[in-house]
Amino acid sequence: METPKCTKDIFGSNVFNDAVMRERLPKNIYKAFVQARKGNQEMTPAVADVIANAMKDWAIEKGATHYCHWFQPMTGLTAEKHDAFINPTADGRTILEFGGKELIKGEPDASSFPSGGLRATFEARGYTAWDITSPAFIREIGKNITLYIPCAFCSYTGMVLDKKTPLLRSMEALSKQAVRVLKVLGNTEVKSVIATLGPEQEYFLVDRKFFEKRLDLLLAGRTLFGAPSPRGQEMEDHYFGSLNERVATYMNEVNNELWKLGVSAKTQHNEVAPAQYELAPIFSTVNVATDHNQLTMDVMQKVALRHGFVCLLHEKPFAGVNGSGKHNNWSVCTDTGVNLLEPGNTPHDNMVFLVFLCAVIRGVDKYSTMLRAAVATPGNDHRLGANEAPPAIVSIFLGDQLTDIFEQLASGKAKSSKQGSDMKVGVTTLPPLPKDTTDRNRTSPFAFTGNKFEFRMVGSSQSTAGPMFVLNTIVADVLCEMADQLEKSKNINADVQKLLQKIVKEHSRIVFNGDNYSEDWVAEAEKRGLPNIRNCVDSIKTIAQPEHVKLFGRHNVLSKVELHAREEILLENYAKTLNIEAGAMLNIGRRQILPAVMEYAGLVADSLNTISDAGGSCTTQKKLLTKMTDLIDRLNDGLENLAESIAKAKAISNVEKKADAFKDKVVPAMVEVRAASDELEALVDAEIWPLPTYAQMLYVR
Ligand code: ADP
Ligand code: MG
């Protein structure tokens, strides 16, 4: 057996990080690299050559045979094309080569990635460009060992085709505007700021033997049929419960794989629903955290198979129990190491904090529709507003202390901060606990949590890039407005106070500390004029509206054409996803469920005939048979209607109308089919029912 290594030695062992670079690169090259990474100078071909060579040597020592540009197309997943280092020589041997050119630029055929009309299929060229802000790493997949180079991805004409480029651009925009604001507030030391992200990843594990018998899980990642298990999550005994051994062993292997990749997997626990879990890393810059989250999702899925599990990342794999989200903890930090959302002990006189806090509040209220659209995915439609996750209404939780200060700001100057106290537990042997100034609120979609905001609407399967580039940009936009005003100010203190007062007055409607799951809030939010866009199709349609075009254009994050392309890609994605789900449903309904229920109805009929021939009364058989045949008719009618509505939706060529048809016609048809089938499931002989049940999938491990 291999001697287990200490975590300290494992961590980052497959990453071409700063420690490795310092060791392997000439000093001047490393320095030039760091300057380029800070954006202070361009990476020259000569520097790239030296780095490429060092990277190659390092990778080959670790057993790598290939390298790949690793990028994030609009599918929301990652893409990679591997090339071997080999380069044959004239004498029939080979040398292993990898130069600056290969490191900096790749040229994959882009024609099969979603482009939203940005690139005609015959113009196949796409480029990948090395993202020097995210370190290269080595992955071992099966026996294949490959050097991965994180990259951005664009078309031949320079149009953005990926999720990373707008994220990087939004980080620059945020940095630029934040530095301007800090400067007028008297801080001239700070050269740049970075947005930070800690994404909490929720997921389900189901036994592979059940998964394989469920075409819906296999093709759509969620169950399309399934009567509720008699035991759901009502005992509230899974959340933070003692870990199951097989699951714990799985988590251990996931952690080790992630640590090797430099992903700081930190927290793990059972989540609310049975078979649901969470993994949270320590936060890092939004760019690296996004790359790491992509790796995390991939590693979690691959490792699961080794343990006889399948890891489900869908937002709603099972009806009736909680779905999965990905809480995005976000903050802004200076290059001098100060968290700008750290309130300190007396937030009321922490001007920098109040300015940044108010910038976020104004940004979120002003662009709540765009923020909502950043989490508009078909999977999330089953989650948002379903009384287990935040509703589709964007609001902000500030907590007692900050709400009090926020209200003080409305009347001019904030003069005091409510203080936390010690909490006595009432047992002399237990220490007094310092009490936080504010309780938690689990129902808020956008909550201030101590020294960061937590954006909780993000879906579990989503790339964090989208929600994060939107958040960065809307905050950058408000900071830009602020800087424009304050740079002209003759009396900063007075003008800041006026500015904050105005923000508080205009945007207090977005602050809500109560229960976001309650019906009352929906009514209250409507009174306050807060948008409530309940489904993703309507939300996606808001993406390219004029104020969003201006917003992203102003900060060079996305051009008008690029934004329109995104809207189109997302609508197409919706239609395609629903088409797969509906198709899988038809297939299962016709080829598995109908035959099974007819078989059982036949058995009941046989029993009825046999027993009534023998003179029995057969009341039960008659009742059951009537009930079954009614439901079978209902199921069959439902399936016919579903088939028809799919065909109609597919025939529509306009992408908006097509998405609408799937939402308005196919989705209700699917609901009806499921209702009939789930009722039948509760009647049919367990031996005959063709699909593993909810109870098996949620409780067997
Ligand atoms: P919760 O109690 O909300 O479930 P977790 O510990 O699961 O908390 O996750 C909190 C996440 O927030 C972690 O990933 C943590 O690293 C991250 N976080 C902490 N501080 C910051 C910050 N300043 N910026 C971004 N993320 C942060
Ligand atoms: Mg958590």
Side-chain angles (χ1 to χ4, degrees):
M1 201 181 87
E2 214 185 310
T3 13
K5 273 203 201 139
C6 166
T7 308
K8 194 160 78 49
D9 300 328
I10 295 172
F11 192 86
S13 57
N14 279 354
V15 186
F16 195 72
N17 53 25
D18 280 65
V20 178
M21 280 191 273
R22 246 183 267 125
E23 201 181 288
R24 290 180 172 252
L25 295 175
K27 254 201 189 117
N28 61 328
I29 299 287
Y30 175 65
K31 256 195 195 151
F33 171 80
V34 172
Q35 286 307 316
R37 187 171 56 188
K38 281 189 183 156
N40 296 342
Q41 67 186 47
E42 264 186 36
M43 166 82 56
T44 63
V47 171
D49 258 335
V50 181
I51 297 177
N53 200 46
M55 239 184 218
K56 177 202 69 184
D57 289 345
W58 171 80
I60 289 170
E61 279 167 37
K62 294 201 162 277
T65 52
H66 288 69
Y67 69 91
C68 76
H69 277 201
W70 182 66
F71 55 102
Q72 300 171 18
M74 287 300 297
T75 54
L77 306 170
T78 58
E80 55 194 48
K81 178 180 147 215
H82 298 207
D83 280 300
F85 289 118
I86 55 167
N87 201 357
T89 55
D91 59 358
R93 289 178 306 156
T94 191
I95 47 170
L96 301 182
E97 263 190 346
F98 181 60
K101 257 207 251 137
E102 286 91 10
L103 171 60
I104 287 181
K105 196 178 93 180
E107 207 197 299
D109 186 328
S111 54
S112 291
F113 292 110
S115 78
L118 280 183
R119 182 194 32 70
T121 312
F122 61 89
E123 297 163 345
R125 250 183 233 276
Y127 293 106
T128 50
W130 179 28
D131 168 18
I132 57 175
T133 63
S134 185
F137 53 90
I138 281 175
R139 286 200 75 179
E140 303 157 336
I141 297 176
K143 285 202 173 3
N144 202 60
I145 304 182
T146 304
L147 169 67
Y148 279 65
I149 300 151
C151 282
F153 179 48
C154 65
S155 75
Y156 182 65
T157 49
M159 295 285 182
V160 175
L161 292 178
D162 72 345
K163 301 227 164 203
K164 176 173 274 225
T165 310
L167 181 64
L168 292 172
R169 290 178 179 170
S170 75
M171 289 169 75
E172 281 192 27
L174 181 65
S175 177
K176 181 171 156 199
Q177 304 306 337
V179 169
R180 282 178 70 201
V181 168
L182 287 170
K183 202 162 168 190
V184 289
L185 296 180
N187 185 333
T188 48
E189 236 178 84
V190 172
K191 298 276 175 296
S192 64
V193 309
I194 12 180
T196 52
L197 166 65
E200 301 166 45
Q201 178 71 51
E202 293 181 337
Y203 61 98
F204 280 82
L205 290 177
V206 295
D207 198 295
R208 188 171 175 169
K209 64 175 180 286
F210 300 135
F211 175 88
E212 283 169 355
K213 293 203 180 104
R214 303 250 354 181
L215 194 67
D216 46 4
L217 284 181
L218 196 67
L219 300 184
R222 76 177 181 99
T223 54
L224 300 164
F225 294 97
S229 159
R231 180 184 182 130
Q233 63 189 41
E234 64 274 49
M235 299 307 285
E236 302 182 322
D237 55 353
H238 194 256
Y239 189 57
F240 285 3
S242 163
L243 293 182
N244 163 282
E245 266 189 35
R246 190 169 150 215
V247 172
T249 307
Y250 161 78
M251 288 176 168
N252 172 274
E253 197 171 323
V254 167
N255 289 333
N256 275 297
E257 294 262 324
L258 289 176
W259 290 337
K260 278 195 233 164
L261 295 167
V263 179
S264 53
K266 168 95 174 162
T267 308
Q268 61 194 26
H269 58 80
N270 284 2
E271 256 301 328
V272 171
Q276 192 188 29
Y277 311 92
E278 180 184 300
L279 183 156
I282 297 173
F283 70 94
S284 51
T285 65
V286 282
N287 171 35
V288 173
T290 294
D291 285 2
H292 281 181
N293 181 252
Q294 290 286 0
L295 284 175
T296 302
M297 291 194 285
D298 194 54
V299 165
M300 286 195 323
Q301 287 174 302
K302 289 199 164 78
V303 173
L305 299 179
R306 290 182 216 153
H307 294 261
F309 284 127
V310 174
C311 170
L312 302 177
L313 293 171
H314 193 281
E315 282 72 16
K316 193 77 180 177
F318 302 99
V321 296
N322 271 19
S324 299
K326 175 145 52 196
H327 295 176
N328 279 207
N329 295 269
W330 174 92
S331 189
V332 191
C333 185
T334 67
D335 59 347
T336 52
V338 177
N339 177 357
L340 295 168
L341 290 176
E342 172 58 59
N345 290 333
T346 51
H348 67 279
D349 64 10
N350 184 344
M351 186 156 72
V352 169
F353 167 72
L354 291 177
V355 165
F356 278 86
L357 178 78
C358 287
V360 177
I361 292 172
R362 177 165 162 76
V364 170
D365 190 28
K366 196 170 166 198
Y367 295 111
S368 65
T369 305
M370 190 56 227
L371 208 52
R372 161 71 181 95
V375 297
T377 67
N380 239 356
D381 269 8
H382 302 280
R383 217 183 128 240
L384 301 179
N387 276 354
E388 53 161 275
I393 308 162
V394 176
S395 70
I396 299 179
F397 170 81
L398 283 184
D400 296 343
Q401 189 191 43
L402 291 188
T403 303
D404 176 54
I405 293 173
F406 195 67
E407 281 161 6
Q408 292 182 50
L409 285 173
S411 56
K413 196 173 159 52
K415 298 199 173 94
S416 64
S417 303
K418 284 188 177 173
Q419 292 300 324
S421 51
D422 272 358
M423 191 169 53
K424 301 228 166 56
V425 192
V427 177
T428 40
T429 49
L430 290 176
L433 301 173
K435 187 169 153 181
D436 289 304
T437 47
T438 295
D439 196 2
R440 284 174 178 248
N441 177 321
R442 279 186 44 163
T443 68
S444 175
F446 201 89
F448 187 77
T449 48
N451 58 4
K452 58 185 159 59
F453 276 100
E454 188 170 338
F455 185 25
R456 300 186 175 133
M457 295 167 93
V458 184
S460 50
S461 69
Q462 261 193 284
S463 158
T464 55
M468 288 298 101
F469 87 67
V470 171
L471 185 54
N472 289 342
T473 311
I474 63 184
V475 175
D477 194 58
V478 178
L479 291 170
C480 174
E481 272 174 19
M482 287 175 154
D484 287 348
Q485 282 180 39
L486 295 175
E487 278 166 358
K488 289 184 236 135
S489 164
K490 302 256 163 0
N491 182 345
I492 281 291
N493 280 343
D495 288 344
V496 167
Q497 195 176 311
K498 257 189 256 158
L499 189 85
L500 299 188
Q501 186 174 20
K502 185 161 174 273
I503 290 182
V504 171
K505 284 194 173 150
E506 267 179 49
H507 301 291
S508 61
R509 66 170 192 166
I510 194 88
V511 176
F512 178 63
N513 293 327
D515 179 3
N516 285 257
Y517 297 174
S518 73
E519 280 302 313
D520 294 352
W521 169 232
V522 177
E524 160 81 19
E526 197 180 332
K527 261 195 243 147
R528 293 190 189 187
L530 298 176
N532 182 6
I533 306 175
R534 289 169 196 265
N535 65 74
C536 81
V537 175
D538 292 345
S539 179
I540 293 167
K541 285 186 201 159
T542 66
I543 288 179
Q545 66 191 31
E547 60 269 38
H548 298 156
V549 170
K550 279 188 216 139
L551 167 76
F552 292 111
R554 220 166 16 241
H555 301 284
N556 296 319
V557 173
L558 286 173
S559 68
K560 184 175 176 176
V561 219
E562 288 166 344
L563 203 61
H564 274 277
R566 251 150 236 260
E567 182 174 309
E568 191 167 321
I569 291 170
L570 293 171
L571 287 172
E572 263 171 14
N573 172 268
Y574 178 84
K576 287 177 190 164
T577 306
L578 265 292
N579 186 43
I580 293 170
E581 288 189 356
M585 183 166 229
L586 264 189
N587 194 306
I588 298 169
R590 285 175 171 164
R591 303 187 54 221
Q592 290 187 276
I593 296 177
L594 267 184
V597 293
M598 289 192 290
E599 181 188 342
Y600 182 58
L603 287 178
V604 178
D606 287 348
S607 155
L608 194 153
N609 288 336
T610 322
I611 294 177
S612 68
D613 283 354
S617 83
C618 294
T619 327
T620 304
Q621 285 88 335
K622 277 183 196 149
K623 259 205 221 154
L624 187 56
L625 198 59
T626 313
K627 205 165 177 188
M628 294 258 324
T629 46
D630 285 353
L631 280 169
I632 292 173
D633 287 346
R634 189 176 153 199
L635 177 64
N636 193 51
D637 289 349
L639 287 167
E640 277 170 15
N641 176 40
L642 177 62
E644 217 174 282
S645 52
I646 299 173
K648 277 192 191 148
K650 275 170 88 163
I652 301 172
S653 52
N654 175 291
V655 56
E656 275 195 29
K657 292 199 176 115
K658 189 184 211 129
D660 277 338
F662 273 102
K663 162 172 75 77
D664 297 330
K665 300 284 191 258
V666 177
V667 169
M670 290 174 72
V671 171
E672 168 59 14
V673 168
R674 177 166 187 162
S677 167
D678 288 0
E679 260 192 68
L680 280 163
E681 183 181 342
L683 297 178
V684 169
D685 183 343
E687 297 290 326
I688 293 177
W689 191 254
L691 304 172
T693 64
Y694 265 38
Q696 289 171 309
M697 289 184 287
L698 292 171
Y699 281 99
V700 176
R701 8 193 179 278

